[in-house]
Amino acid sequence: MIRVAVNGIMGRMGRLIAEKVREEEDLELVAGFDVLEGEIAGIRVSSPAEYGRVLSTTPVDVIVDFSTPEASIKIAEIASERGIPLVIGTTGFSEDDLRKIQEFSGRIPVVLSPNFALGVNVFWHLIEEIEKYLGDWDKGIVEIHHRHKKDAPSGTAKKIAELSRASSVHSLRIGDVVGDHIVIYAGEGERIELIHRAQSRMAFVSGALRALRWVAGRSPGLYDMRDVLGL
Ligand SMILES: NC(=O)c1ccc[n+]([C@@H]2O[C@H](COP(=O)([O-])OP(=O)(O)OC[C@H]3O[C@@H](n4cnc5c(N)ncnc54)[C@H](O)[C@@H]3O)[C@@H](O)[C@H]2O)c1
């Protein structure tokens, strides 16, 4: 049985992960943290001020974090002090934040991915393949997300830009769009358009559960979903 704590448990992602963890036979939801009070999946939500007390009294095998960059760095520091493996789905980190996560991963295994969907991880792989042949074509990225998303461009689009060396990313924040990414490669008289559409957050939830099962018991280090999926 893998005992799981969720940071940001009252959020769109945190709630879904908590509910899914509760349904799985090999997983047990033992704690949840958020600045908002409440009860999710049978767990009373603890505040960030209670990290120390809760983690001292409740054994936790993996922490899953879908919160904010600031909250994520805090839980990563605490997880590294206590030797608890960590899965981070939060996006919008600064370079300095990423350096800190790298440092913490010297003591614990951390899976960090801006997108846990299986299809997106294969999509990144396809972009690397296209780059081998069409690296000199013009490239552009369009990403569309729901109006509540805080960071822009999305972590997924940043990763696409890194892999494709595309210089332009256009972000739209409209309605309840879960997440669309469109990559356009334009050559002389022809173009390729690659599109990934996340239709449900369950695509991220399934990947996050896969990551948490994988990270429990790993050696310290910074991993991503491609390590988890063996891509
Ligand atoms: N990696 C992926 O596959 C993936 C998928 C979806 C969303 N995300 C990212 O995950 C993050 C969360 O997304 P969301 O849509 O669930 O957002 P959300 O705003 O619905 O949820 C965030 C939660 O974090 C809580 N929070 C804020 N400060 C906190 C603190 N100090 N300590 C603990 N909890 C705190 C908020 O109260 C909220 O409940 C975002 O960065 C988003 O971009 C990643």
Side-chain angles (χ1 to χ4, degrees):
M1 188 71 94
I2 302 173
R3 294 161 296 189
V4 181
V6 178
N7 195 43
I9 195 168
M10 293 289 275
R12 279 173 286 265
M13 283 301 299
R15 279 170 191 265
L16 290 174
I17 289 185
E19 280 154 13
K20 189 73 183 155
V21 163
R22 197 166 68 153
E23 283 170 23
E24 300 290 300
E25 281 188 357
D26 61 328
L27 306 177
E28 187 187 1
L29 182 70
V30 292
F33 302 99
D34 207 294
V35 285
L36 303 175
E37 288 177 7
E39 199 180 300
I40 299 284
I43 288 282
R44 187 190 71 80
V45 177
S46 305
S47 83
E50 295 175 283
Y51 283 145
R53 184 189 60 74
V54 173
L55 295 173
S56 300
T57 52
T58 311
V60 172
D61 299 311
V62 179
I63 298 174
V64 181
D65 168 79
F66 281 84
S67 58
T68 65
E70 199 187 357
S72 187
I73 293 299
K74 187 73 205 152
I75 198 76
E77 184 178 11
I78 290 169
S80 76
E81 286 165 5
R82 292 171 182 264
I84 305 172
L86 181 63
V87 172
I88 303 178
T90 301
T91 59
F93 292 113
S94 65
E95 288 300 317
D96 191 44
D97 291 337
L98 292 171
R99 266 192 297 277
K100 285 183 185 157
I101 293 172
Q102 177 85 55
E103 190 188 315
F104 298 141
S105 71
R107 294 192 284 276
I108 52 166
V110 178
V111 177
L112 170 69
S113 177
N115 200 311
F116 283 99
L118 173 62
V120 160
N121 283 270
V122 174
F123 189 86
W124 286 330
H125 189 62
L126 291 175
I127 287 165
E128 281 180 324
E129 282 301 303
I130 292 179
E131 271 300 299
K132 287 184 194 162
Y133 304 102
L134 307 175
D136 60 341
W137 280 20
D138 290 341
K139 305 139 204 182
I141 301 165
V142 180
E143 59 100 346
I144 311 170
H145 282 85
H146 56 92
R147 70 170 86 89
H148 301 291
K149 184 167 175 63
K150 295 195 179 93
D151 54 324
S154 68
T156 306
K158 284 189 195 164
K159 179 79 180 172
I160 295 170
E162 181 195 316
L163 296 172
S164 64
R165 293 170 293 135
S167 51
S168 60
V169 181
H170 294 270
S171 302
L172 287 175
R173 295 289 172 265
I174 47 173
D176 60 357
V177 179
V178 174
D180 287 4
H181 291 88
I182 303 154
V183 185
I184 304 164
Y185 278 80
E188 199 65 41
E190 59 177 332
R191 71 176 185 271
I192 293 175
E193 297 180 4
L194 283 167
I195 303 176
H196 180 276
R197 297 189 202 280
Q199 290 162 191
S200 152
R201 288 188 177 82
M202 289 318 286
F204 312 130
V205 173
S206 305
L209 258 62
R210 207 158 161 166
L212 82 80
R213 287 185 172 107
W214 183 90
V215 82
R218 282 286 138 183
S219 307
L222 186 56
Y223 304 97
D224 63 20
M225 262 318 263
R226 295 177 65 173
D227 297 307
V228 174
L229 298 170
L231 280 173

